[in-house]
Amino acid sequence: MKLDLLKNQWLEIVFEGRNKIYGAYELRKTNGKTTLRSLIIGGVIFIFLVSIPVLANLIPDGNDDAVLDQKITTVKLPPKEKPKENLPPPPPPPPKVDQVKFVKPVVAKAEEVTEEPPKVEEIKDKKIGDKTIEGDPNAELTVEPVGNGPSQVVEEDNNIYNTAGIEVKPDFPGGLEKFYKFVGKNFQVPEEEGLKGKVFVTFVVEKDGSLTDIKVIRDIGYGTGKEAMRVLKSCPKWNPGEQNGKKVRVLYSLPITIQSAE
């Protein structure tokens, strides 16, 4: 017996002696109908989707008569003119008073005279200039702003001068005698028996009289150099030095004598 796979004869053979109530038997039994039904439904949906653009074109458009043709016209703009360079300044407005050209008198022969100087009556109540200009009595009177003239920058002299070549040497108010009294009063001598010697210091007397750049060139030990720097830092302002009538910075050096009490 030859089986036809398109019919349900093979299904009976496969499920012979088995439970046909089971869902697999019913699914296989109705498989042909289900497949055919699916193909028909899918074909109808596909045809409907494909025919949508055609149906849309068949629908009449009520705005066809209202559509107007629009013509786009290209307009070329003229090229932008560049500002002209190196143009002469505009002529000044006419003066309020008539101006008469002044001709400088020269000694010459009569036939060589090309232009006669103006007469006194012609220049009365008029300005004198290099050319003749008719004035405008209604013109506005303008005054050029006054300039400050060329400014000259004076460089500040911050050089440090030596006392040897300075015109006016810096000095402590009251003289060096008062300066040494100030140092002796404020200098704390180390408690070292037989301590004696000189501490050499240098400093710069600034333009305002203050002391800067204090240095100890030589000391006698036991903290005498540091003590000398401390005293100089607390020193009152000096009278500054001068060169060419101006206050300048001056390098000053001096010794400080140290002697412990016996």
Side-chain angles (χ1 to χ4, degrees):
M1 179 180 177
K2 187 177 180 180
L3 294 177
D4 188 358
L5 295 178
L6 298 177
K7 296 182 179 181
N8 291 334
Q9 294 178 356
W10 64 273
L11 188 61
E12 298 296 336
I13 296 174
V14 172
F15 282 89
E16 185 178 357
R18 297 184 180 183
N19 187 7
K20 295 182 179 180
I21 303 176
Y22 184 63
Y25 176 79
E26 292 296 329
L27 288 175
R28 284 174 174 79
K29 185 177 181 181
T30 60
N31 183 48
K33 295 180 180 180
T34 304
T35 302
L36 181 61
R37 187 182 305 150
S38 300
L39 289 174
I40 295 173
I41 296 174
V44 172
I45 294 174
F46 176 77
I47 294 171
F48 175 75
L49 294 176
V50 172
S51 60
I52 287 178
V54 180
L55 296 175
N57 292 332
L58 296 177
I59 298 175
D61 190 358
N63 297 328
D64 288 345
D65 297 336
V67 176
L68 300 177
D69 293 336
Q70 295 181 357
K71 184 178 181 180
I72 300 176
T73 305
T74 304
V75 179
K76 293 185 178 181
L77 298 176
K80 188 176 181 181
E81 294 183 359
K82 295 183 179 180
K84 297 181 180 180
E85 299 179 354
N86 301 326
L87 293 177
K96 194 174 185 66
V97 181
D98 293 345
Q99 178 176 303
V100 178
K101 179 180 180 181
F102 176 75
V103 181
K104 185 177 180 180
V106 294
V107 178
K109 296 180 181 179
E111 61 271 12
E112 295 178 356
V113 176
T114 58
E115 189 173 4
E116 295 182 358
K119 298 179 181 180
V120 177
E121 291 79 8
E122 296 178 356
I123 62 176
K124 187 179 181 180
D125 299 331
K126 295 181 176 62
K127 293 176 62 178
I128 304 300
D130 57 351
K131 58 183 179 179
T132 302
I133 302 176
E134 185 178 353
D136 182 7
N138 298 322
E140 296 182 2
L141 182 61
T142 58
V143 180
E144 294 294 332
V146 179
N148 297 325
S151 59
Q152 183 177 2
V153 179
V154 179
E155 295 184 359
E156 187 177 1
D157 187 4
N158 288 323
N159 296 325
I160 298 177
Y161 291 82
N162 197 296
T163 55
I166 199 74
E167 293 179 355
V168 179
K169 297 181 180 181
D171 191 16
F172 187 81
L176 284 179
E177 185 178 351
K178 283 194 174 182
F179 171 75
Y180 282 118
K181 286 183 179 180
F182 169 80
V183 174
K185 182 179 179 181
N186 293 276
F187 195 97
Q188 297 179 4
V189 181
E191 296 179 0
E192 186 67 25
E193 185 178 353
L195 183 63
K196 185 178 181 181
K198 292 184 178 181
V199 178
F200 291 88
V201 296
T202 62
F203 50 85
V204 175
V205 181
E206 298 289 344
K207 298 177 183 180
D208 61 351
S210 60
L211 305 184
T212 61
D213 198 17
I214 302 172
K215 295 180 181 178
V216 177
I217 304 302
R218 190 179 69 184
D219 62 4
I220 57 177
Y222 302 100
T224 54
K226 290 183 179 180
E227 181 62 16
M229 293 182 64
R230 184 191 68 80
V231 175
L232 290 176
K233 288 179 180 179
S234 63
C235 181
K237 290 186 176 182
W238 287 43
N239 298 321
E242 294 184 10
Q243 184 74 6
N244 297 326
K246 296 182 180 180
K247 296 179 180 180
V248 293
R249 305 172 68 197
V250 181
L251 178 64
Y252 204 97
S253 59
L254 51 80
I256 300 176
T257 303
I258 307 297
Q259 184 175 359
S260 61
E262 296 180 357

